């Protein structure tokens, strides 16, 4: 049961880090990127142990660096990655992408980098059978694959939005059906934000 709550919490906290208001909170606290990283690591280690903290911080950092490097390639200035304990991390864009293609490019860079980050853990786990590498694989898959669901504001929602924002409605339906089967608060929060975006789409002229 404890492992299940850790898994759910990890996904939820990471996704919460996508919210724009977290950047304002980080600025208010005046936390530098490095200081916030160490604070988050220390708190994760106290609650879940240092190995979990290392894996989680590493995976979140690489994922966010994917977004950051993609933004830089497109000439879009960003903030540094700010870690917020038990919430995740955020890299804010100081200028919006000029096109839907740029938006999708920035969106898929995070899951792409994040997936590449945990792939080396597979041979390490097979060779050593060390549970730590299994933890890295599990967390990496949860963070990055879950984030590809076609629901706004997940990265997957931003990607399919290039094809058609109407796909968000199908993502919401699928997510709602899964929530009925296995209800949890984190998915409910994501569906709420997705529904708000879809409503905005319907009401827009």
């Amino acid at each position: 049961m404890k492992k299940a709550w850790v898994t759910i919490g990890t996904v939820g906290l990471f996704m919460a880090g996508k919210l724009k208001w977290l950047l304002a909170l980080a600025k208010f606290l005046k936390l530098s990127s490095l200081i916030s990283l160490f604070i988050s690591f220390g708190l994760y280690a106290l609650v879940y142990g240092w190995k979990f903290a290392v894996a989680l911080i590493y995976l979140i950092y690489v994922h966010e660096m994917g977004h950051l490097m993609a933004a830089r390639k497109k000439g879009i200035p960003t903030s540094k990655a700010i870690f917020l304990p038990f919430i995740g991390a955020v890299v804010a864009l100081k200028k919006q992408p000029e096109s839907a293609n740029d938006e999708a490019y920035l969106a898929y860079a995070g899951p792409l980098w994040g997936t590449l980050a945990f792939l080396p853990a597979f041979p390490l786990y097979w060779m050593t059978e060390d549970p730590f590498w299994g933890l890295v694989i599990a967390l990496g898959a949860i963070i990055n694959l879950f984030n590809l669901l076609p629901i706004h504001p997940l990265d997957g929602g931003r990607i399919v939005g290039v094809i058609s924002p109407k796909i968000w409605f199908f993502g919401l339906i699928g997510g709602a059906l899964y929530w009925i089967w296995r209800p949890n608060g984190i998915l409910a929060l994501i569906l709420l934000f997705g529904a708000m975006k879809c409503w905005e789409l319907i009401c827009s002229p």
Side-chain angles (χ1 to χ4, degrees), residues 15 18-19 24 30 32 60-61 65 68 71 92 101 106 117 120 128 140 144 159 192 195 202:
M15 291 314 308
K18 300 294 184 181
L19 302 180
K30 297 182 179 180
S32 72
I60 291 177
Y61 181 79
M65 286 305 100
L68 188 148
N101 287 335
L106 267 62
T128 66
N144 294 286
I159 294 170
L192 174 62
I202 294 173

Side-chain angles (χ1 to χ4, degrees), residues 44 51 72 91 109 137 177:
Y44 288 137
K51 287 187 175 182
R72 287 185 178 178
V91 172
I137 294 169
L177 292 175

Side-chain angles (χ1 to χ4, degrees), residues 119-141:
L119 289 182
F122 281 97
L124 290 171
Y125 180 73
W126 293 331
M127 289 185 295
T128 66
E129 296 186 356
D130 187 337
F132 173 75
W133 300 118
L135 174 65
V136 173
I137 294 169
L139 286 177

Side-chain angles (χ1 to χ4, degrees), residues 28-112:
F28 175 76
L29 296 175
K30 297 182 179 180
L31 293 176
S32 72
S33 181
L34 187 60
I35 293 175
S36 65
L37 185 153
F38 280 113
I39 292 175
S40 292
F41 174 82
L43 292 175
Y44 288 137
L46 284 175
V47 177
Y48 303 119
W50 71 268
K51 287 187 175 182
F52 181 94
V54 167
L56 182 58
I57 291 293
Y58 163 70
L59 292 165
I60 291 177
Y61 181 79
V62 174
H63 182 107
E64 292 300 327
M65 286 305 100
H67 292 308
L68 188 148
M69 296 306 295
R72 287 185 178 178
K73 188 172 182 179
K74 291 296 182 178
I76 300 174
T78 69
S79 69
K80 293 182 179 179
I82 300 296
F83 286 81
L84 297 172
F86 302 106
I87 295 176
V90 59
V91 172
L93 302 180
K94 296 182 180 180
K95 184 178 73 173
Q96 292 303 311
E98 296 181 355
S99 68
N101 287 335
D102 287 351
E103 173 76 12
Y105 180 79
L106 267 62
Y108 83 73
L112 175 62

